[in-house]
Amino acid sequence: MTPPQNVIVLMLDTLSAKFMGCYGNEWIKTPNMDRLAKEGVLFENWYTEGLPTVPCRRAMHTGRYTLPVSGWVPLAPEDTTVADLCWGRPIDTALVLDCPMYRLPKFGYTRGFDKVWFLHGHNADENFYAKDQLYSMDVENYIDEESGKKYAARNGQQALDALKAHTATLLKQVQNWSKPEDRFVAKTIKKGIEYLKQADRNKQFFLWIDSFDPHEPWIPPSTYMNFPCPYDPDWKGKDEINPLPDIADEVYTEEQQHHIRMLYAELVTLCDTWLGHLMDAIREMGLESNTLFMLVSDHGTPQGNGEWGHGLMRKCRPWPYEELARAPVIMRAPGITAGQRISAFTQSCDVAPTICDWLGLGVHPNMQGKSLLPLMRGEVDKVRDFAIAGFYDYSWAIYTEDWSYIHWLADEKANAAMRATFYSEHVPDEHLKAIGGRGYKTDSASLAVEGAKESKTLTFFDTLDGKAQWTCTPLAVSAMPERDELYDRKKDRNQLHNVINEYPEVASHLLDTLGSYLKSLHDKK
């Protein structure tokens, strides 16, 4: 008798491929991620089509593109999720999470799971501890005074005070941490292992473990156990655990930016440790022989100048550059050749059809993503010709083998014009030329506030009113460059040298392709 086929998904939120050994980082310690890549299949060109947190998860659970149709919105009644499809079948479904975005009021992303465990306290849920007394930690020890002054000069004292208040609330729970196991990722994966120990081995199961680590705030063990950061042991300044969300140069020195990245790196290594515990548990329970294991992330993260973040610290602008839009994904399953590195374009909406295919449910006809099992088995060499990414109503991007192109929806007027154009029958040549030739003050290698258009400040709590907000970053603004951008993907993977002036015809063709594709997806909503 063939044993039931199961699925385990581990989501590590904000995990950047730049900080994983198996993706080419030569100095970070991620032995378990590297081991998983050797045992499974690593996807080199996986892009999140709809950014950030909530749109990505909607795509992963429904198998449908979100970028053309919606942003940060609830799961719709007409959406069909993997958990919905498992209901009424002999498949037990479980969700273990510390990601508060799943639990936004009336958003419905826990819908359909037989069992749900939520662990309190992560970013956006820290108010669970708001009435606790802060005894042993001081906010001022975690915000550099000069950086704070620069931030207040740009954004107002009220913005700095709000960030300090947020940090204080975080510290109310951190003050009780004394060991690495106190961190969220440890507790969440432990709970996932508890589920596996009690799961009925005679039935199929689908387990989704959603760890918000290594999402900011970046509070690795060195910051609360008082030892030097292992990746920056000589640092003498303050640990900016909850970085000021802004143009990096305006508030931080290069040394500060580097240290923030090293705190993040330490947290990634902690996540890797607990991935190892989960992998060991799966092996000890004999689940490797019939279980598809997926390590996924919703996106990377901007963390400073150049290739690290195009000048941004945190997701404080809706900019779908490579460091954010590209996500690391590794899958392992019995019968799949180990050690593969697949360069074909894959997307967040491919998660649901792959899970359904493995569970034997078949790919639901409403799913626009593709099952990746044929790709992993070598039956096909690609599932699409290009990948897309972006923020609904703010930015669109397309990634091909040779080029990457970003189109900015700079304001409501331009947005309306673009949607009207792309959702009509064709794209006039003169419109494409106009978009390619708008005024532009600088290129993305040195982008700061110059050349960007500011809108009103958006806070996380706008989402509670049901607005299609683009980010969960408090105090973020929807500033965008004023001109579209084209990059030679083979020579400039990090998107630092805009060549739209040299290749306007390439830009026009890519915009046409992108618009036509988004229109086709929109028409199928």
Side-chain angles (χ1 to χ4, degrees):
M1 180 178 176
T2 303
Q5 295 198 122
N6 312 307
V7 174
I8 300 171
V9 179
L10 174 61
M11 161 72 79
L12 294 178
D13 196 296
T14 314
L15 177 63
S16 171
K18 290 179 178 291
F19 290 80
M20 298 170 64
C22 51
Y23 276 91
N25 186 310
E26 296 180 351
W27 51 263
I28 199 167
K29 295 180 180 179
T30 53
N32 296 297
M33 295 175 187
D34 302 345
R35 170 164 63 110
L36 183 62
K38 292 177 181 178
E39 296 175 356
V41 179
L42 181 148
F43 293 88
E44 296 178 331
N45 290 301
W46 183 291
Y47 288 88
T48 298
E49 54 87 25
L51 293 158
T53 310
V54 168
C56 175
R57 283 167 174 77
R58 187 181 185 191
M60 285 188 167
H61 284 288
T62 65
R64 294 182 61 80
Y65 287 86
T66 64
L67 180 59
V69 296
S70 65
W72 194 285
V73 298
L75 193 66
E78 60 270 19
D79 283 334
T80 300
T81 69
V82 176
D84 291 337
L85 294 171
C86 291
W87 192 90
R89 293 180 167 89
I91 304 174
D92 194 52
T93 58
L95 173 63
V96 179
L97 69 156
D98 59 27
C99 172
M101 310 313 166
Y102 264 128
R103 297 180 71 249
L104 285 170
K106 302 181 181 179
F107 268 49
Y109 284 89
T110 61
R111 186 186 81 193
F113 284 95
D114 297 317
K115 301 174 179 66
V116 178
W117 290 275
F118 175 70
L119 287 80
H120 275 294
H122 219 308
N123 192 32
D125 184 61
E126 70 279 352
N127 279 322
F128 186 75
Y129 297 90
K131 293 185 179 179
D132 290 9
Q133 186 68 38
L134 183 59
Y135 292 106
S136 59
M137 304 182 89
D138 186 347
V139 172
E140 299 301 330
N141 290 334
Y142 298 94
I143 297 179
D144 179 76
E145 184 177 359
E146 288 303 313
S147 297
K149 288 179 180 178
K150 294 175 186 176
Y151 184 75
R154 280 177 44 77
N155 301 285
Q157 185 63 40
Q158 185 178 10
L160 178 61
D161 291 343
L163 192 97
K164 287 184 176 182
H166 178 244
T167 304
T169 304
L170 295 170
L171 294 178
K172 289 178 180 179
Q173 56 181 315
V174 175
Q175 66 183 346
N176 297 314
W177 296 354
S178 60
K179 55 189 180 301
E181 293 86 343
D182 290 330
R183 185 72 210 179
F184 301 108
V185 64
K187 297 177 181 178
T188 303
I189 289 181
K190 280 183 179 179
K191 181 61 71 172
I193 293 173
E194 284 181 21
Y195 168 79
L196 293 175
K197 288 180 178 179
Q198 59 84 51
D200 187 343
R201 292 293 182 270
N202 296 312
K203 302 293 183 183
Q204 290 178 273
F205 66 79
F206 163 44
L207 169 64
W208 186 289
I209 304 173
D210 204 291
S211 168
F212 212 39
D213 282 338
H215 190 286
E216 69 269 16
W218 294 309
I219 313 177
S222 67
T223 63
Y224 60 85
M225 294 175 64
N226 298 316
F227 60 83
C229 173
Y231 292 112
D232 197 13
D234 296 327
W235 175 252
K236 303 301 181 184
K238 294 183 178 180
D239 293 328
E240 299 271 352
I241 60 174
N242 193 26
L244 301 159
D246 208 338
I247 302 298
D249 270 350
E250 298 295 323
V251 293
Y252 290 125
T253 64
E254 288 292 338
E255 291 76 16
Q256 286 175 309
Q257 292 175 43
H258 173 76
H259 185 66
I260 290 170
R261 290 193 289 269
M262 295 307 99
L263 294 179
Y264 170 80
E266 184 186 348
L267 190 51
V268 169
T269 294
L270 181 64
C271 290
D272 179 86
T273 297
W274 283 94
L275 165 65
H277 291 315
L278 177 60
M279 291 171 63
D280 291 344
I282 291 171
R283 177 167 295 174
E284 290 165 6
M285 287 183 242
L287 293 172
E288 285 183 332
S289 63
N290 62 342
T291 300
L292 169 64
F293 181 72
M294 307 171 69
L295 173 64
V296 303
S297 185
D298 52 352
H299 50 71
T301 179
Q303 291 182 317
N305 292 325
E307 67 178 274
W308 298 109
H310 286 78
L312 299 186
M313 183 57 70
R314 299 175 59 171
K315 303 184 299 293
C316 60
R317 303 286 189 277
W319 295 1
Y321 291 111
E322 180 88 8
E323 65 272 7
L324 180 67
R326 182 191 182 206
V329 173
I330 307 172
M331 300 185 190
R332 183 189 67 191
I336 301 297
T337 301
Q340 295 183 72
R341 300 180 72 91
I342 291 180
S343 61
F345 287 111
T346 46
Q347 301 249 231
S348 43
C349 55
D350 296 333
V351 169
T354 303
I355 293 173
C356 288
D357 195 3
W358 181 261
L359 290 174
L361 301 174
V363 178
H364 192 277
N366 286 343
M367 291 181 178
Q368 298 166 317
K370 305 294 183 181
S371 169
L372 300 181
L373 295 184
L375 189 62
M376 291 191 284
R377 290 171 177 150
E379 298 167 0
V380 298
D381 58 6
K382 64 179 180 179
V383 295
R384 57 178 56 83
D385 293 327
F386 54 79
I388 64 172
F391 290 77
Y392 176 71
D393 269 358
Y394 291 93
S395 56
W396 299 341
I398 182 171
Y399 289 83
T400 71
E401 290 185 5
D402 297 319
W403 305 96
S404 60
Y405 176 82
I406 300 175
H407 169 68
W408 306 101
L409 296 165
D411 54 39
E412 292 184 7
K413 184 177 180 180
N415 179 14
M418 290 304 297
R419 292 178 72 84
T421 299
F422 281 134
Y423 299 157
S424 64
E425 294 301 317
H426 64 283
V427 183
D429 289 341
E430 60 271 19
H431 191 69
L432 293 170
K433 292 177 182 177
I435 293 169
R438 286 186 293 169
Y440 194 57
K441 296 181 180 178
T442 183
D443 66 21
S444 62
S446 59
L447 249 176
V449 174
E450 182 183 18
K453 186 164 187 174
E454 299 282 350
S455 73
K456 77 178 185 72
T457 297
L458 296 173
T459 70
F460 162 75
F461 296 101
D462 285 331
T463 61
L464 303 184
D465 297 324
K467 298 177 182 178
Q469 183 207 346
W470 61 266
T471 180
C472 62
T473 305
L475 307 173
V477 296
S478 54
M480 288 165 284
E482 291 185 344
R483 189 182 184 188
D484 290 1
E485 300 175 33
L486 176 71
Y487 299 96
D488 185 325
R489 198 160 175 269
K490 291 183 176 179
K491 296 179 181 178
D492 183 23
R493 179 68 182 259
N494 292 318
Q495 300 171 303
L496 299 178
H497 306 289
N498 185 8
V499 294
I500 196 168
N501 287 338
E502 291 95 313
Y503 303 98
E505 71 287 349
V506 173
S508 292
H509 172 71
L510 290 173
L511 182 58
D512 192 4
T513 301
L514 177 58
S516 298
Y517 190 64
L518 288 172
K519 177 185 183 301
S520 71
L521 296 173
H522 184 272
D523 289 347
K524 295 176 184 177
K525 66 179 179 178

